[in-house]
Amino acid sequence: MKKVFKTIGLLLLLFIIYAASKLVWFLYSEYSERQQVDAHLAGEAPVLIINGTRYRDLNKNGLLDTYETNTAPIDARINDLLAQMSVEEKVGLMFHSVIPLGKGDAVNQGGDMVSIMFGDSSTNIAVRKINHFNLFDSAPIRDMARWNNAVQKMAEKTRLGIPITVSTDPRHSLRDFGAATSIFTEGFSLWPEPLGLGALDDTDVTEQFGRVANAEYRAIGLRVALHPMADLATEPRWGRIIGTFGEDADVSARQVAAYVKGFQGETINTESVITMTKHFSGGGPQENGDDAHFHYGRNQVYPGNNFDYHLKPFEAAFAAGTGQIMPYYGIPVGQTSEDVAFAFNKDIITTLLREKYGFDGVVCADWSVITPMGAWRRIGLINSRGWGVDHLNVKQKFKKAVDAGIDQFGGEHFPAPLVALVKEGKISEQRIDQSARRILRDKFRLGLFDNPYVDVASAESKTKLPEYVKAGAYAQRASHVLLKNANNVLPLSKGVKIYIENIDPEIAAQYGNVVSSPSDADFAILRLQTPTRNASLHTSFIENMMENYFRQGDLDFETDELARLEAIMAQVPTVVNIYLDRPAVIPEIAAQTVGLLANFGVGDTAILDVIFGNGEPKGKLPFEMPSSMAAVKSQLEDVPYDSEKPLYPFGFGLRYSETVE
């Protein structure tokens, strides 16, 4: 037995030494590249004045090149620039990494978690030739505008002066980065989640949201929206339902089209924010509702043979002219010639997306399908999210994805393997040029080569305008769904005694007399949210950390919490306002409340305005509300509204003039 323990101990020691050596090499290589930054940067682009017109001499050659000429046709500008680009510069276009906000005017913050995971910003721009970045952080509006200009100034100093395209996840809801796919931005107007827009199903409101978000994004230099989600919420346990428009393909199609039109306009131009519609060909039918960020959620399944239903919202996005597309991580099991993830699936990207639908925009793989984030790649402790191609090495994954039709790699910041594939002749430079053309076309259409800078002084005057705030406030209130209003108890009269939970007492005091015990109240007002259960026992250490950002698993309240809520409802007439980031299983609560409302991401004031009659709930349920977890588990992942005897059906929603016992 001692020999066994000694052997195990020795193996563990060797593994630690191996991992430590890999980490040291990673840190050394990162440091070495950081020292090369200045050598890869030239001076700022001089200004050429020709016939009274100012041009930026981006390659600093003293001449007006075609790609620098804003009156030249875009195709001519692309051809001229491609002819001047090295393989490294072309490949750099194909990387869409993550970037943190620097401090003050600094591009690189240094030492922050984003830099550790996704590389030093200065190194990525100057040495690795990357010029597409997803901005994870938030700050005061003026600081974000100032940072954008600092990043663009560094890009201007590169050999050809190719500008940076800055993208973002949604920024107009109360969700923060703690949700992994949303970044609350204080200086922007506040709107309900896309699921709330689906509940309201008013395309004018959705298009208006797109126009507002466009203006606020452009004020700080954000030019690509990593949304909308055209996925369908047909599997109620899935942890990303809040970012969808619901489970109905027709509702989602209408909303996606309006959303794209609001952000981009009729055509993509210098006033547009390009939409990267995701996740083709539909990321909703996750097996058992497990998300594909995790190894146990790699399968998308179609037990109802309903694959085509999930394409409808994407067809609407194509018709609206969406500029870019993102596939998801999952494997569309049994739907293509090989069971590999969407980003590596030629049947999905080339045959379906390119050939059937004729889409010729940028296709960007979801984040980290080739390599794990940052140091984890070099240490080799975990794999990437390249489901179905786990056995391939990094170069093989790059080749398979490029062969499938991918143009860009989200979250990746190591171009060297792809450069090597081109120089080894395993991927042709002509194939790289195909992707480079699509990517450059968007930069030119957005006007970034002519002026990528924003006006710092006026940035705050372009965001959170009174009309933007008013429009968002209306959407927050109107998107509420009234599920129960026994004896027309709602709206409540102001001044009644109220017991509250999960609502700011100072705000509540403007509506009623707040008391500390249910027994002293005329009404209890409980703000709840759909429960969540994470599958931590099924994950690695790293995946377990990631799971904290996802709300997934069973949808019913645990026994102790349900008993506590029932005790309150037994004491005093209770109004429940529940945040439905996913459907909730709440038959006991629905039976015992006097008023039941659903919201999809709103503030306390919006909730109380609706409860006390300052706003009218106009929404309809964008999905079914199941009656039990047994019913949930019997549903087919790819089929809408198939829950047995739902508590509330899809499309249900009352008005205050209606009652339900």
Side-chain angles (χ1 to χ4, degrees):
M1 185 61 71
K2 288 183 179 179
K3 288 184 178 180
V4 172
F5 283 121
K6 286 180 83 172
T7 301
I8 293 173
L10 179 61
L11 291 173
L12 181 60
L13 177 61
L14 290 173
F15 177 77
I16 291 172
I17 293 172
Y18 167 78
S21 66
K22 297 278 278 187
L23 178 59
V24 169
W25 177 249
F26 166 75
L27 295 174
Y28 172 75
S29 60
E30 290 282 321
Y31 174 79
S32 298
E33 284 190 296
R34 179 68 182 90
Q35 303 314 300
Q36 301 173 36
V37 167
D38 291 341
H40 285 263
L41 297 177
E44 296 180 12
V47 173
L48 303 177
I49 301 178
I50 301 175
N51 296 327
T53 301
R54 297 167 62 90
Y55 299 94
R56 302 168 70 222
D57 184 12
L58 294 171
N59 63 3
K60 301 95 178 165
N61 66 354
L63 304 173
L64 181 60
D65 292 82
T66 302
Y67 87 92
E68 298 164 344
T69 307
N70 57 24
T71 56
I74 286 179
D75 284 343
R77 299 181 77 179
I78 292 172
N79 289 338
D80 180 55
L81 180 55
L82 276 177
Q84 299 186 45
M85 294 178 73
S86 66
V87 170
E88 288 80 3
E89 288 163 333
K90 293 176 182 178
V91 169
L93 288 170
M94 298 176 68
F95 286 73
H96 194 145
S97 194
V98 173
I99 196 168
L101 284 169
K103 296 177 180 177
D105 290 335
V107 172
N108 178 58
Q109 190 168 341
D112 60 280
M113 185 56 66
V114 173
S115 293
I116 291 170
M117 292 191 298
F118 295 101
D120 173 87
S121 304
S122 301
T123 303
N124 284 339
I125 295 169
V127 182
R128 296 169 182 156
K129 319 301 182 188
I130 299 173
N131 45 57
H132 292 79
F133 293 98
N134 173 14
L135 180 61
F136 264 18
D137 295 344
S138 185
I141 295 300
R142 186 179 289 248
D143 290 343
M144 295 180 78
R146 186 182 296 113
W147 171 86
N148 172 79
N149 288 355
V151 169
Q152 297 294 358
K153 184 59 67 176
M154 175 172 280
E156 181 182 304
K157 294 177 181 178
T158 59
R159 189 177 76 91
L160 296 173
I162 298 173
I164 303 294
T165 304
V166 186
S167 67
T168 183
D169 286 304
R171 289 179 176 265
H172 283 83
S173 75
L174 286 167
R175 278 191 301 161
D176 204 346
F177 181 60
T181 52
S182 187
I183 307 99
F184 174 71
T185 302
E186 178 65 36
F188 286 177
S189 54
L190 182 63
W191 293 70
E193 298 280 359
L195 196 56
L197 297 176
L200 189 55
D201 195 19
D202 185 327
T203 54
D204 289 339
V205 171
T206 300
E207 187 175 338
Q208 182 182 32
F209 163 71
R211 290 195 300 270
V212 168
N214 168 302
E216 294 183 325
Y217 278 14
R218 287 192 297 113
I220 59 173
L222 300 171
R223 301 307 300 272
V224 171
L226 302 177
H227 42 100
M229 284 179 63
D231 311 296
L232 297 176
T234 53
E235 165 46 63
R237 290 167 290 183
W238 186 37
R240 299 195 64 181
I241 286 176
I242 191 63
T244 74
F245 297 103
E247 69 178 322
D248 183 86
D250 293 326
V251 170
S252 182
R254 287 194 294 271
Q255 293 301 310
V256 166
Y259 197 103
V260 169
K261 186 177 179 181
F263 272 90
Q264 293 188 172
E266 294 295 336
T267 59
I268 295 173
N269 55 58
T270 58
E271 304 295 311
S272 298
V273 170
I274 292 179
T275 56
M276 185 183 289
T277 303
K278 60 188 185 185
H279 302 87
F280 191 81
S281 57
Q286 291 295 141
E287 187 173 31
N288 300 320
D290 294 328
D291 189 75
H293 275 81
F294 310 106
H295 74 276
Y296 56 82
R298 65 176 58 203
N299 290 339
Q300 286 190 201
V301 294
Y302 303 86
N305 196 30
N306 214 25
F307 179 89
D308 288 349
Y309 184 77
H310 292 259
L311 292 170
K312 289 184 179 181
F314 292 96
E315 293 169 349
F318 301 144
T322 187
Q324 302 185 6
I325 286 289
M326 180 193 295
Y328 206 32
Y329 298 114
I331 300 170
V333 177
Q335 303 302 306
T336 57
S337 59
E338 58 175 339
D339 281 345
V340 295
F342 290 109
F344 305 93
N345 200 312
K346 192 170 185 177
D347 291 345
I348 295 293
I349 306 301
T350 295
T351 304
L352 182 60
L353 179 59
R354 297 287 193 207
E355 295 175 0
K356 177 179 178 179
Y357 288 118
F359 182 76
D360 193 38
V362 173
V363 178
C364 180
D366 211 332
W367 270 224
S368 301
V369 300
I370 303 294
T371 64
M373 293 182 292
W376 303 113
R377 169 185 179 250
R378 300 294 181 91
I379 298 173
L381 291 181
I382 61 172
N383 206 343
S384 68
R385 299 190 187 101
W387 309 135
V389 296
D390 313 60
H391 59 290
L392 300 182
N393 63 33
V394 168
K395 289 173 71 172
Q396 290 169 333
K397 288 177 184 175
F398 270 125
K399 179 168 170 37
K400 190 167 183 63
V402 170
D403 287 346
I406 290 293
D407 296 309
Q408 231 176 27
F409 295 93
E412 303 289 346
H413 65 281
F414 294 110
L418 186 50
V419 171
L421 286 167
V422 178
K423 293 189 173 181
E424 293 165 4
K426 294 177 180 176
I427 295 177
S428 71
E429 190 168 351
Q430 290 73 26
R431 170 62 187 87
I432 298 300
D433 285 352
Q434 288 180 351
S435 292
R437 284 181 181 280
R438 296 182 183 116
I439 294 163
L440 289 172
R441 181 177 60 192
D442 283 346
K443 286 183 183 287
F444 280 116
R445 289 196 289 180
L446 291 174
L448 292 174
F449 277 91
D450 306 316
N451 181 21
Y453 299 102
V454 299
D455 186 347
V456 175
S458 67
E460 290 175 331
S461 69
K462 299 174 182 176
T463 63
K464 214 171 186 178
L465 301 183
E467 57 266 37
Y468 297 172
V469 173
K470 182 179 179 181
Y474 168 79
Q476 288 183 64
R477 288 151 181 77
S479 61
H480 271 82
V481 177
L482 179 61
L483 298 173
K484 182 177 181 180
N485 190 15
N487 300 319
N488 287 332
V489 66
L490 295 175
L492 299 181
S493 299
K494 286 194 174 180
V496 295
K497 292 185 291 184
I498 53 175
Y499 168 79
I500 59 172
E501 287 189 0
N502 303 316
I503 295 174
D504 187 332
E506 291 187 9
I507 296 177
Q510 301 172 32
Y511 296 83
N513 180 14
V514 179
V515 298
S516 59
S517 171
S519 60
D520 296 328
D522 297 319
F523 293 94
I525 301 176
L526 308 181
R527 182 173 185 174
L528 307 178
Q529 63 179 348
T530 301
T532 183
R533 314 270 209 286
N534 279 333
S536 301
L537 294 177
H538 301 286
T539 63
S540 67
F541 172 71
I542 303 302
E543 282 188 325
N544 179 248
M545 289 194 298
M546 187 68 177
E547 273 188 332
N548 293 327
Y549 299 111
F550 285 80
R551 291 177 50 80
Q552 55 185 355
D554 288 355
L555 305 166
D556 55 342
F557 284 90
E558 300 207 46
T559 303
D560 290 348
E561 176 61 9
L562 182 59
R564 189 188 71 81
L565 296 172
E566 289 182 311
I568 294 172
M569 292 184 285
Q571 289 184 66
V572 60
T574 300
V575 176
V576 166
N577 192 306
I578 185 167
Y579 168 53
L580 295 180
D581 59 335
R582 304 178 296 149
V585 175
I586 54 170
E588 301 89 352
I589 292 172
Q592 296 176 65
T593 56
V594 296
L596 180 60
L597 289 148
N599 80 79
F600 305 94
V602 303
D604 287 349
T605 300
I607 284 175
L608 292 168
D609 270 354
V610 171
I611 289 174
F612 284 88
N614 294 343
E616 174 78 11
K618 298 181 179 180
K620 304 290 185 181
L621 277 178
F623 43 54
E624 291 177 312
M625 293 281 279
S627 57
S628 68
M629 276 308 302
V632 169
K633 293 174 182 178
S634 296
Q635 290 185 243
L636 303 180
E637 286 92 338
D638 59 327
V639 176
Y641 20 83
D642 67 331
S643 184
E644 184 179 359
K645 297 180 180 178
L647 181 66
Y648 296 108
F650 166 81
F652 182 85
L654 303 170
R655 295 293 181 91
Y656 278 152
S657 59
E658 301 170 294
T659 64
V660 60
E661 296 299 333

